[in-house]
Amino acid sequence: MKPLLLLDVDGVLNPMGRPTPDFRRYRCTIGTDVYTVHLNPRHGRRLLELAVVTGSELVWATTWEHHANDWIAPRIGLPSLPVISMGSSSDAPASEYGEMFKTPHVAAYAGQRPFVWFDDQVWAEDEEYLRVHQGLADFLLVHVDPRQGLTSRHLGMAHEWLTLTGFSQGS
Ligand SMILES: [Mg+2]
């Protein structure tokens, strides 16, 4: 059971703040909507390295869903990744603990696999929801500041947690 590395796009790979020179600007056309994103091409390699050294699997946990494989992954050097389906907002169950809409989908997908979740909208309510959810393995929520997006510190936290918990399956 490989640990999961769950990846958000907006606020994590695509920060909301003024982009630094590390980021490049892209346009994405999804249906009739055009989105501008800022992506750091180094993020892909860093994430792949983390996945390899910890024996983890990268998975999208974003409302971009499969569009992330078309518009985000190739631009930062990631392969096509599995996608957690986030359902439609109309069929979302009422929030029990004040958790965000993605959290039950993440729990259902993770099952008994340990996971690290990088997201700018994970809070104590999500932690609580996941802690009381029966049958989940251990997990680490890494809250990312949406203005800056994913940094080395976040990757370091994930690496340390996976290593110290013994979930790391790398060599
Ligand atoms: Mg986000």
Side-chain angles (χ1 to χ4, degrees):
M1 297 261 268
K2 280 184 162 194
L4 298 164
L5 296 171
L6 307 181
L7 272 181
D8 185 23
V9 172
D10 295 320
V12 174
L13 297 180
N14 171 38
M16 301 297 157
R18 171 186 269 260
T20 66
D22 294 331
F23 287 81
R24 295 185 197 160
R25 180 183 166 125
Y26 298 97
R27 291 198 162 204
C28 314
T29 307
I30 297 174
T32 55
D33 296 319
V34 179
Y35 300 94
T36 299
V37 296
H38 295 93
L39 299 172
N40 181 340
R42 291 196 197 123
H43 272 157
R45 190 166 51 81
R46 305 282 319 268
L47 287 162
L48 285 173
E49 281 170 6
L50 176 64
V52 168
V53 298
T54 60
S56 302
E57 182 179 16
L58 290 161
V59 172
W60 292 119
T62 164
T63 52
W64 284 71
E65 295 183 312
H66 63 276
H67 297 299
N69 282 327
D70 297 331
W71 295 100
I72 309 297
R75 290 166 168 178
I76 59 173
L78 284 178
S80 200
L81 303 177
V83 173
I84 300 179
S85 175
M86 293 301 173
S88 68
S89 51
S90 56
D91 65 14
S95 171
E96 273 178 273
Y97 294 87
E99 77 279 3
M100 76 152 150
F101 72 98
K102 287 198 229 172
T103 306
H105 297 291
V106 162
Y109 186 93
Q112 295 176 9
R113 296 171 71 177
F115 64 92
V116 176
W117 184 8
F118 301 104
D119 201 289
D120 60 314
Q121 292 185 79
V122 287
W123 304 103
E125 290 83 354
D126 302 289
E127 179 97 21
E128 161 120 33
Y129 175 93
L130 295 167
R131 290 273 166 231
V132 301
H133 202 87
Q134 295 290 317
L136 282 185
D138 207 356
F139 60 85
L140 177 70
L141 304 188
V142 179
H143 180 262
V144 174
D145 180 342
R147 291 166 299 179
Q148 288 164 10
L150 189 72
T151 66
S152 302
R153 188 176 66 86
H154 304 124
L155 297 168
M157 287 166 68
H159 181 266
E160 182 176 284
W161 185 81
L162 286 163
T163 307
L164 291 178
T165 52
F167 292 134
S168 169
Q169 300 190 356
S171 47

